[in-house]
Amino acid sequence: MNDRIDFPMNATETDAAELDAADDLSAFRSRFHFPRAENGGDAVYLVGHSLGLQPVAARDYVDRELEDWRRLGVEGHFEGDNPWMSYHEALTDPLARLAGAGPGEVVAMNTLTVNLHLMMVSFYRPTPGRNRILIEGSAFPSDRYAVASQAAWHGYDPAESVIELRPREGEDTIRTSDIEDLIEREGETIALVFLGGVNYLTGQAFDMERITRAGHRQGCVVGFDLAHAMGNLALRLHDWDVDFAAWCSYKYLNGGPGCVGGCFVHERHGRRDDLPRFAGWWGHDKSTRFRMPPAFEAIPGAEGWQLSNPPILPLAALRASLELFDEAGMDRLRNKSMRLTGYMEHLLRTRLPEELSIISPPDPVQRGCQLSIRTGPAGRRVHGILSEHGIRCDWREPDVIRVAPVPLYNRYTDVHRFVEVMAGELGSVG
Ligand SMILES: *Cc1c(COP(=O)(O)O)cnc(C)c1O
């Protein structure tokens, strides 16, 4: 899938509108609410990597549960259309489809960093000879804090136990073969290989299958943070043999601010009773949970890692969004995504001065929908001007603009508009 997609050299707004007209996923846009721009129209929303938009159906789904609570009180756990006792189970199949997993391998629970810790309690089992954790040099800060605190909690010095992958001098992203080489060289001292499925800063999508294989060859556990990968890439976690993963649902999954995240635990580990874990009543065998027995007996599979009964209102919003993913299908979305982001890259490369570099990988397979653009000194000003034009994108110090055309709700004309304004400010070469 390395073939580049061809777009006209001087793509006009009319060309973009034609691409929209030919897009069989374009109708999904109307299923979302868009923030207003300063001029009163819809904002050009390119920040689905930070907070996905609200599905129109979300309010109705949340209202139904508020209504059941109003009508039924505590009985809502067992009565009503969607009894709360098993509410989270309605999200299991859609999440499993997005993760490329069996239903027993995923669960919606907690929030991302909490889940990372719960997963590491079970899957980071350091010994004096093998206690290191391999992460990306530009890992999201919460991930870095989480792994460092896990190492410290086991009595190891994070300065020695946490090792970071860096791109080669003069490069922005990390070569898969360099990751494999490092694991090959140092793997026997590494307890856990833990990378983002998609790096939040550069947008690089890691080759999870190859990295997992390399880690397993050296006896390492391999886990991924899928904050920027769920709902963005077509994932096959089970077949790739990944040990565990965790994600949040407010980015590409459109679950709403602070919504319930999730975990993947490979089937291989789902019934192991030799793994330590932090337990809670919601992970206990459902048939005896309410007899409240003194000894914990885990539900087999990912559900056995649950602690608490989950917050129903955010789950309801997420459910509305997951139904849209099922309607559209992740393979179709990914297909559109490659074209849409390829189109943005094409316009940026043909319209903008060369100093402006795209640090995301040029190979569509090695990125999701996001492009990260190094802007040079004019960046902050340009970001402000984009905002005045109703274009929402993300600014990272010192000089990176991150934009994510999201295939569920963004259009080719959104992308065209964004590049027009950038080119107007930075000097067009077209
Ligand atoms: C967004 C993000 C987080 C945020 O974690 P929360 O616990 O949901 O606040 C953590 N890690 C990565 C890689 C992220 O992209």
Side-chain angles (χ1 to χ4, degrees), residues 49-50 110-116 136 138-144 194-201 225-228 247-251 258-259 261 402:
H49 52 52
S50 290
N110 309 317
T111 47
L112 173 53
T113 310
V114 173
N115 286 336
L116 292 181
E136 310 134 89
S138 56
F140 192 85
S142 198
D143 299 46
R144 177 186 309 276
F194 178 67
L195 306 182
V198 174
N199 179 269
Y200 86 102
L201 185 61
D225 182 323
L226 302 179
H228 287 261
W247 56 85
C248 55
S249 64
Y250 47 83
K251 293 168 182 167
C259 190
R402 297 186 309 155

Side-chain angles (χ1 to χ4, degrees), residues 197-244:
V198 174
N199 179 269
Y200 86 102
L201 185 61
T202 65
Q204 176 176 17
F206 288 104
D207 189 327
M208 291 181 245
E209 185 173 20
R210 271 173 65 182
I211 292 167
T212 303
R213 205 178 306 132
H216 286 173
R217 263 200 304 270
Q218 298 300 318
C220 316
V221 173
V222 183
F224 291 95
D225 182 323
L226 302 179
H228 287 261
M230 276 292 270
N232 184 15
L233 304 178
L235 301 167
R236 302 278 177 269
L237 299 183
H238 176 88
D239 292 346
W240 297 339
D241 211 25
V242 169
D243 291 293
F244 73 89

Side-chain angles (χ1 to χ4, degrees), residues 246-306:
W247 56 85
C248 55
S249 64
Y250 47 83
K251 293 168 182 167
Y252 298 111
L253 294 186
N254 314 310
C259 190
V260 180
C263 279
F264 163 87
V265 175
H266 198 281
E267 189 179 43
R268 230 156 2 91
H269 304 305
R271 289 177 180 274
R272 285 177 57 182
D273 51 20
D274 60 318
L275 286 177
R277 75 174 94 192
F278 285 172
W281 75 315
W282 221 252
H284 183 90
D285 177 14
K286 290 176 202 178
S287 63
T288 61
R289 184 190 285 150
F290 281 88
R291 276 184 241 143
M292 312 261 178
F296 175 76
E297 226 179 284
I299 303 169
E303 275 200 275
W305 271 265
Q306 295 173 102

